[in-house]
Amino acid sequence: MSKNKFLATSVLAVVLGAASVAAQAAEPIGFYGGAGVGRADFNARAVDDHDTGYQLFGGYQFHPNFGAELAYTDFGKADVGAHKDAVAANAVSLSLVGTLPFTEKFSGYAKAGVSRWDTSTHVGPFGFKDHGTDPTAGVGLQYRFNDKVALRSEYSRFNLDEGHTNMAQVQVRYDF
């Protein structure tokens, strides 16, 4: 095979490969929003408990494979020893999201960013609050029903100073 024919074949293979990946990339460019609910696991100092949490999120998909997302997450409340609902926590996070399409409707994604978290603790007559800014990351799977609606399953980790909270949730995403 001559060098020119090999080069032409190579360029054609790259172009066709890129076109097939673009055809599989089902993420529309633009704004999106959604909500999720799931289990939040608290793991910090004297706290090792779980509760139902929820998340509201919005983002902008600036490329079929890349976007940015802003989210508010309420982790619910956790028990500390015999003290019921002693700790409450929430976070506001900003993450970059990378999406990898598997098929036209099914994709995986990963996100990494930073979160601003707040906790409040009430044990007996004592109460105190804490806050901070720490890294957050997550991975998920998404099934797109159509150009507007997708169902997501996500597992995220939020670092909270000396501990962390993990959240496994099911989300619905709506593209505008």
Side-chain angles (χ1 to χ4, degrees):
M1 181 182 273
S2 72
K3 285 184 182 180
N4 288 340
K5 192 171 184 180
F6 177 75
L7 182 60
T9 304
S10 299
V11 169
L12 181 62
V14 168
V15 169
L16 291 175
S20 71
V21 168
Q24 288 183 358
E27 295 307 309
I29 305 297
F31 289 99
Y32 65 88
V37 64
R39 177 182 163 137
D41 291 313
F42 293 84
N43 298 293
R45 295 183 192 146
V47 182
D48 186 10
D49 196 14
H50 63 273
D51 197 9
T52 300
Y54 69 90
Q55 185 176 79
L56 302 173
F57 62 90
Y60 188 78
Q61 195 77 33
F62 50 87
H63 181 273
N65 301 104
F66 301 103
E69 192 170 287
L70 179 67
Y72 170 79
T73 307
D74 186 314
F75 301 110
K77 296 180 179 180
D79 300 342
V80 176
H83 302 282
K84 290 285 218 191
D85 297 337
V87 177
N90 61 64
V92 174
S93 57
L94 179 61
S95 300
L96 294 177
V97 182
T99 304
L100 177 64
F102 302 130
T103 69
E104 190 174 311
K105 295 191 176 276
F106 189 62
S107 60
Y109 64 92
K111 57 170 68 172
V114 64
S115 67
R116 172 74 175 167
W117 53 267
D118 293 297
T119 60
S120 60
T121 305
H122 300 282
V123 177
F126 304 104
F128 56 92
K129 295 183 182 219
D130 196 9
H131 62 273
T133 303
D134 283 297
T136 185
V139 294
L141 296 173
Q142 175 174 281
Y143 180 79
R144 184 159 289 286
F145 291 105
N146 54 43
D147 288 344
K148 298 288 185 192
V149 179
L151 181 66
R152 303 192 327 179
S153 174
E154 181 176 302
Y155 181 81
S156 302
R157 181 181 183 108
F158 294 83
N159 291 331
L160 307 176
D161 211 7
E162 295 176 15
H164 63 273
T165 300
N166 298 326
M167 188 155 171
Q169 60 181 308
V170 175
Q171 302 173 330
V172 174
R173 171 179 161 162
Y174 182 80
D175 291 84
F176 298 101

PDB file of all heavy atoms in Angstrom, residues 16 32 48 57 69 81 144:
ATOM      1  N   LEU A  16     -14.554   8.931   9.914  1.00  0.00           N
ATOM      2  CA  LEU A  16     -15.713   8.057  10.139  1.00  0.00           C
ATOM      3  C   LEU A  16     -15.850   7.679  11.607  1.00  0.00           C
ATOM      4  O   LEU A  16     -16.955   7.610  12.138  1.00  0.00           O
ATOM      5  CB  LEU A  16     -15.620   6.802   9.265  1.00  0.00           C
ATOM      6  CG  LEU A  16     -15.798   7.016   7.772  1.00  0.00           C
ATOM      7  CD1 LEU A  16     -15.570   5.713   7.012  1.00  0.00           C
ATOM      8  CD2 LEU A  16     -17.168   7.586   7.466  1.00  0.00           C
ATOM      9  N   TYR A  32     -29.991  22.546  31.099  1.00  0.00           N
ATOM     10  CA  TYR A  32     -30.793  21.442  31.609  1.00  0.00           C
ATOM     11  C   TYR A  32     -30.981  21.618  33.111  1.00  0.00           C
ATOM     12  O   TYR A  32     -30.279  22.384  33.763  1.00  0.00           O
ATOM     13  CB  TYR A  32     -30.165  20.084  31.284  1.00  0.00           C
ATOM     14  CG  TYR A  32     -28.838  19.816  31.951  1.00  0.00           C
ATOM     15  CD1 TYR A  32     -28.761  19.232  33.220  1.00  0.00           C
ATOM     16  CD2 TYR A  32     -27.640  20.129  31.316  1.00  0.00           C
ATOM     17  CE1 TYR A  32     -27.540  18.981  33.833  1.00  0.00           C
ATOM     18  CE2 TYR A  32     -26.419  19.872  31.920  1.00  0.00           C
ATOM     19  CZ  TYR A  32     -26.374  19.303  33.176  1.00  0.00           C
ATOM     20  OH  TYR A  32     -25.170  19.054  33.771  1.00  0.00           O
ATOM     21  N   ASP A  48     -22.138   7.891  62.062  1.00  0.00           N
ATOM     22  CA  ASP A  48     -22.132   6.822  61.070  1.00  0.00           C
ATOM     23  C   ASP A  48     -23.585   6.393  60.892  1.00  0.00           C
ATOM     24  O   ASP A  48     -24.049   5.467  61.549  1.00  0.00           O
ATOM     25  CB  ASP A  48     -21.248   5.658  61.517  1.00  0.00           C
ATOM     26  CG  ASP A  48     -21.105   4.604  60.430  1.00  0.00           C
ATOM     27  OD1 ASP A  48     -21.534   4.862  59.293  1.00  0.00           O
ATOM     28  OD2 ASP A  48     -20.574   3.526  60.731  1.00  0.00           O
ATOM     29  N   PHE A  57     -30.604  20.195  40.639  1.00  0.00           N
ATOM     30  CA  PHE A  57     -29.431  20.567  39.865  1.00  0.00           C
ATOM     31  C   PHE A  57     -29.815  21.237  38.556  1.00  0.00           C
ATOM     32  O   PHE A  57     -30.919  21.083  38.050  1.00  0.00           O
ATOM     33  CB  PHE A  57     -28.541  19.348  39.587  1.00  0.00           C
ATOM     34  CG  PHE A  57     -29.209  18.267  38.781  1.00  0.00           C
ATOM     35  CD1 PHE A  57     -29.149  18.260  37.391  1.00  0.00           C
ATOM     36  CD2 PHE A  57     -29.892  17.241  39.409  1.00  0.00           C
ATOM     37  CE1 PHE A  57     -29.761  17.269  36.658  1.00  0.00           C
ATOM     38  CE2 PHE A  57     -30.507  16.238  38.688  1.00  0.00           C
ATOM     39  CZ  PHE A  57     -30.433  16.251  37.305  1.00  0.00           C
ATOM     40  N   GLU A  69     -22.202  21.789  35.968  1.00  0.00           N
ATOM     41  CA  GLU A  69     -23.436  21.579  36.725  1.00  0.00           C
ATOM     42  C   GLU A  69     -23.342  22.236  38.101  1.00  0.00           C
ATOM     43  O   GLU A  69     -22.337  22.112  38.790  1.00  0.00           O
ATOM     44  CB  GLU A  69     -23.653  20.076  36.864  1.00  0.00           C
ATOM     45  CG  GLU A  69     -25.003  19.682  37.370  1.00  0.00           C
ATOM     46  CD  GLU A  69     -25.220  18.184  37.239  1.00  0.00           C
ATOM     47  OE1 GLU A  69     -25.409  17.696  36.103  1.00  0.00           O
ATOM     48  OE2 GLU A  69     -25.196  17.506  38.278  1.00  0.00           O
ATOM     49  N   GLY A  81     -25.235   8.712  68.333  1.00  0.00           N
ATOM     50  CA  GLY A  81     -25.517   7.872  69.499  1.00  0.00           C
ATOM     51  C   GLY A  81     -27.018   7.736  69.689  1.00  0.00           C
ATOM     52  O   GLY A  81     -27.753   7.366  68.783  1.00  0.00           O
ATOM     53  N   ARG A 144     -31.427   8.061  28.080  1.00  0.00           N
ATOM     54  CA  ARG A 144     -32.169   9.170  27.481  1.00  0.00           C
ATOM     55  C   ARG A 144     -33.421   8.623  26.793  1.00  0.00           C
ATOM     56  O   ARG A 144     -33.327   7.823  25.865  1.00  0.00           O
ATOM     57  CB  ARG A 144     -31.279   9.901  26.483  1.00  0.00           C
ATOM     58  CG  ARG A 144     -31.951  11.109  25.893  1.00  0.00           C
ATOM     59  CD  ARG A 144     -30.978  12.092  25.321  1.00  0.00           C
ATOM     60  NE  ARG A 144     -30.207  12.810  26.320  1.00  0.00           N
ATOM     61  CZ  ARG A 144     -30.697  13.780  27.099  1.00  0.00           C
ATOM     62  NH1 ARG A 144     -31.962  14.122  27.018  1.00  0.00           N
ATOM     63  NH2 ARG A 144     -29.919  14.390  27.957  1.00  0.00           N
TER      64      ARG A 144
END
